[in-house]
């Protein structure tokens, strides 16, 4: 945990409170590649934002998986995924391929997240359809957004909540609460996303594999 980020009462149990500036949480104890998901992906969380960075293209990062480009752009420091919120409520998905080429995918409609209430937010990346879909409170937000390139590389990254990677701290601020963050290496359908929005925990919609049966 960095900055003034603390745990407080959230949407369900305890959540992460971020004042802004240089507040963030880093999942730095997870082995390389575990969260470097470059294919099918579902990101799910509860959010109660207060404010986000003023950048019109990037806003405030809800979460991202990537690494710092200290020296130059290269494939291993690519972002595998990023989900941020603009000041007008637009959600933005982002990732990189090749030597740092960008895929930047704003939602086709703004979300109602800045009303002071908790909202469930999800982003689904579908490799077969080559689209990203955004959901708020279990409902599709706007239209699916098409893309042409999947992410590549990203093996040196880590997961960050409430901020971009540390090299860019303060540039893409998110101030508010986050709770029940779930990351799946698969496409969750509309019913599964709705179940998560109904306050199901991360295992409520997809049971973990049984090591004895493989199912």
């Amino acid at each position: 945990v960095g900055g003034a980020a603390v745990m407080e009462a959230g949407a369900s149990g305890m959540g992460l409170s971020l004042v802004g500036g240089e507040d963030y949480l880093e999942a730095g104890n997870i082995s390389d590649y575990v969260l470097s998901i470059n294919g099918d992906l579902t990101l799910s969380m509860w959010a109660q934002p207060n404010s986000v960075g003023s950048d019109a293209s990037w806003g405030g990062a809800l979460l991202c998986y990537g690494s710092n480009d200290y020296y130059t752009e290269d494939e291993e420091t690519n972002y595998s995924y990023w989900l941020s919120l603009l000041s007008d409520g637009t959600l933005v998905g982002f990732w990189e391929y090749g030597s740092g080429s960008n895929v930047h995918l704003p939602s086709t409609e703004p979300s109602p997240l800045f009303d002071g209430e908790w909202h469930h937010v999800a982003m689904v990346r579908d490799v077969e359809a080559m689209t990203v879909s955004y959901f708020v409170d279990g409902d599709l937000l706007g239209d699916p957004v098409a893309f042409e390139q999947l992410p590549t590389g990203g093996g040196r990254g880590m997961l960050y909540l409430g901020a971009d990677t540390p090299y860019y701290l303060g540039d893409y601020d998110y101030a508010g609460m986050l709770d029940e963050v779930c990351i799946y290496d698969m496409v969750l359908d509309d019913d599964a996303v709705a179940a998560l929005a109904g306050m199901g925990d991360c295992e409520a919609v997809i049971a973990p594999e049984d090591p004895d049966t493989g199912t």
Side-chain angles (χ1 to χ4, degrees):
V1 176
V6 295
M7 300 300 294
E8 296 182 355
S12 173
M14 301 300 287
L16 181 67
S17 175
L18 303 144
V19 177
E22 297 188 357
D23 299 349
Y24 70 100
L25 185 146
E26 176 187 287
N29 61 341
I30 299 176
S31 300
D32 281 352
Y33 298 99
V34 170
L35 291 175
S36 179
I37 302 169
N38 291 341
D40 287 336
L41 173 74
T42 299
L43 305 176
S44 165
M45 71 197 72
W46 286 83
Q48 187 185 56
N50 295 325
S51 65
V52 295
S54 60
D55 190 291
S57 296
W58 301 102
L62 299 172
L63 87 169
C64 69
Y65 179 90
S67 182
N68 293 318
D69 295 315
Y70 288 117
Y71 305 108
T72 185
E73 292 273 12
D74 66 88
E75 194 166 41
E76 286 304 296
T77 62
N78 281 350
Y79 289 79
S80 294
Y81 45 87
W82 156 300
L83 178 60
S84 64
L85 176 65
L86 304 187
S87 59
D88 68 353
T90 299
L91 294 169
V92 176
F94 162 73
W95 58 82
E96 295 177 309
Y97 66 94
S99 295
S101 295
N102 291 353
V103 176
H104 184 269
L105 303 169
S107 60
T108 62
E109 294 182 7
S111 71
L113 266 62
F114 288 104
D115 62 359
E117 303 295 328
W118 279 100
H119 292 279
H120 182 261
V121 180
M123 175 181 124
V124 178
R125 182 172 66 201
D126 188 327
V127 171
E128 182 177 0
M130 293 294 276
T131 59
V132 160
S133 298
Y134 301 98
F135 295 82
V136 174
D137 297 329
D139 295 324
L140 183 66
L141 178 69
D143 300 318
V145 183
F147 62 86
E148 296 182 355
Q149 296 284 344
L150 287 164
T152 61
R156 291 210 302 267
M158 294 184 186
L159 180 70
Y160 298 92
L161 303 181
D164 195 354
T165 59
Y167 185 71
Y168 300 104
L169 281 182
D171 291 342
Y172 309 107
D173 299 344
Y174 171 85
M177 297 285 295
L178 296 174
D179 199 0
E180 291 294 324
V181 176
C182 311
I183 301 172
Y184 304 87
D185 60 351
M186 62 187 299
V187 171
L188 294 188
D189 62 21
D190 294 8
D191 290 340
V193 172
L196 287 170
M199 292 303 296
D201 63 22
C202 294
E203 295 183 4
V205 298
I206 176 69
E209 183 176 293
D210 186 327
D212 296 326
T213 65
T215 60

